[in-house]
Amino acid sequence: MTSTVLLDEINCNCFLAELYSPVERERGDAFQTWSVTCTCQDGFVGDGITCYDLDFCAKGSCCRQGYGWSSELGCVDVDECSLPDQPCSPPQVCENTPGSFNCLVPPEDDLHSSPGDSRSVQFQCGGRQCPVGEDCISVGGSSLCADPCLHYSVLNDDWRSTTNYGPANGYHCDSSVNWQGWYRLFLGNTSVQMPERCVERYMCGTEIPLWLPLAHPQLLDGVVQRSVCGHYYYDCCYWRQNPIHVKACYGNYYVYKFVPTTTCNMAYCADVNTTVCSTCGVFDACVRDNETTWNVRGKVTPELVCGRSLLKVGLPNVYLEAAGLDASSAHLADGRCSAHEDHNGSVWYQVERREGLCGNTLETNTTHAVYSNSLLVYPVDGRNVSRPFGFPFSCVYPLETESLVRVGAKAKASMSLYRDSNYTQPYPAGQPVTLIAGSSLHVGVSVEESEAERFVVVLEDCYTTESPSPDNLPRTYMIQDRSMTLFIGCLHGHVCLFCV
């Protein structure tokens, strides 16, 4: 038996039908099942939900970029991935999306992938390919490859809350919003995220609330594509919306690249239950205990040693055990860098102080160089199905130092800084020297004595401080108790230190 109700909408006719079998009705255990059929009126074409005026659209003014006109179907998606000139460069994989396409980066390994498809998406910008994790973003009026975690708009609509009942407070719709770039969700002054669970119909200030059926990405995933579900009738994912892009950012927040919804009333939700995540520190993780409850877990204080050539980070075993973390699963930003050792009650990881090594990043200003990386540790229940706990760390090194040479009472010594290894091009005396991190600095020490040919110059201690005073701490020794930690050679009667 079928009971039918006619729904009149502009340019389309929709029929809503309740279906059940006579046997189910007689048993009395039938569940309500609904069927909706929509068709466009005469003079219009489309899928019944979106209808196009044939006469008006035949002029080619109806379709957005990435869509082509069909007199039978209306605006249809152009499959860029099937074109002769492939838009993606190997080994990237082209994936067609409504109105556009993605260039997906195959993961190096699946050990640190989050649930669902977490292949990174790479974007094109001005004829060049943006690095993984960046998008073509308008910055200062120019389109540049930039990190969306640093260039986003605040989306702060209280009506998007998962506790806001639409029929009582009015419906909202995201189909006509002119989305531009990336957005970070807020409720009040608190950062939140989209829900990862089915949201009851009519919540989030709309009729069809939109949510993510897959978990958010991890820090290492870069920009990923996520499908979006809309709850309608009795189906949590009755509506499958055009996918959006999502990125995880340091600081326990996410940014989203939203697209207009296909119809009204649909709107993206903000999960009020994730407000607790805004209290996470840099060494915390926000985890979901069940469908609605989120908690901050695993406060772990790492130990950091910023050495001359190595960056070392240690995690106390007592904290790892309390947080349920598996030390053997940890790795640096580059998942291949996972070597570790147990020492004095802590598990230590290290990386050489070189840009790009194991995912090291380098930022410099006029006075300092900052090397940064992250240590990712997974729960003991397996890293294939869990999000890692992230421990970002940084070491700051001065680019300029002042030095003082102390010698015996009858001798005179001087120290000079040179541009080259031949010690023929000194830097101007008394002026600051600024070097790019990783550059070589050649230090020449000369001693003047009336009978110099009878003596050998011995440097017992040679060190740098962060101020003009030789008594200030900390000291970085190049030579200590005549024990050399750097290469020392003799050139033109000078004792020379080669600092790298």
Side-chain angles (χ1 to χ4, degrees), residues 155-427:
L155 187 61
N156 191 353
D157 299 320
D158 288 341
W159 57 263
R160 296 185 184 275
S161 170
T162 47
T163 59
N164 181 32
Y165 187 54
N169 301 304
Y171 289 131
H172 295 82
C173 183
D174 282 337
S175 64
S176 59
V177 177
N178 183 23
W179 301 104
Q180 297 289 332
W182 291 79
Y183 295 83
R184 180 178 175 184
L185 287 170
F186 282 81
L187 289 177
N189 295 322
T190 303
S191 179
V192 293
Q193 63 193 54
M194 284 189 67
E196 298 176 357
R197 59 180 176 85
C198 180
V199 179
E200 290 298 323
R201 190 181 174 190
Y202 301 116
M203 305 308 288
C204 305
T206 189
E207 182 181 5
I208 306 172
L210 301 180
W211 58 283
L212 297 180
L214 295 178
H216 283 72
Q218 301 175 12
L219 289 172
L220 294 183
D221 291 332
V223 176
V224 303
Q225 181 178 277
R226 282 290 184 265
S227 59
V228 179
C229 283
H231 190 174
Y232 195 55
Y233 295 125
Y234 299 96
D235 189 344
C236 286
C237 206
Y238 184 93
W239 290 99
R240 287 191 174 271
Q241 282 299 287
N242 294 340
I244 63 174
H245 290 106
V246 187
K247 184 182 180 183
C249 303
Y250 287 105
N252 288 300
Y253 69 92
Y254 300 91
V255 289
Y256 306 87
K257 192 175 185 180
F258 293 120
V259 298
T261 58
T262 55
T263 187
C264 278
N265 288 307
M266 294 182 178
Y268 298 103
C269 289
D271 193 348
V272 69
N273 297 299
T274 62
T275 55
V276 66
C277 297
S278 65
T279 64
C280 290
V282 294
F283 302 124
D284 295 333
C286 195
V287 295
R288 190 176 69 182
D289 291 338
N290 51 50
E291 287 296 314
T292 59
T293 304
W294 291 76
N295 281 307
V296 178
R297 184 194 298 171
K299 180 67 176 179
V300 180
T301 304
E303 303 174 62
L304 181 62
V305 176
C306 298
R308 181 183 305 140
S309 58
L310 293 173
L311 283 65
K312 298 182 179 181
V313 58
L315 297 176
N317 282 316
V318 62
Y319 289 123
L320 289 171
E321 294 174 2
L325 299 179
D326 180 8
S328 64
S329 71
H331 58 77
L332 297 173
D334 185 337
R336 295 169 295 184
C337 299
S338 58
H340 58 278
E341 65 177 6
D342 202 313
H343 181 66
N344 290 338
S346 294
V347 183
W348 288 89
Y349 308 81
Q350 67 181 33
V351 59
E352 292 183 29
R353 200 186 82 184
R354 283 165 41 196
E355 182 181 9
L357 192 64
C358 292
N360 279 348
T361 61
L362 172 63
E363 295 183 1
T364 61
N365 54 29
T366 57
T367 60
H368 291 82
V370 181
Y371 289 84
S372 300
N373 205 311
S374 290
L375 181 66
L376 301 175
V377 192
Y378 295 79
V380 293
D381 55 1
R383 62 182 184 177
N384 285 332
V385 296
S386 303
R387 296 184 183 183
F389 286 66
F391 303 95
F393 59 91
S394 298
C395 284
V396 182
Y397 298 89
L399 293 178
E400 302 174 11
T401 60
E402 296 287 343
S403 302
L404 179 69
V405 180
R406 289 179 171 176
V407 296
K410 294 183 179 181
K412 294 182 180 179
S414 62
M415 177 178 285
S416 301
L417 306 180
Y418 293 86
R419 303 176 186 272
D420 62 335
S421 59
N422 293 324
Y423 299 91
T424 58
Q425 301 180 38
Y427 286 97

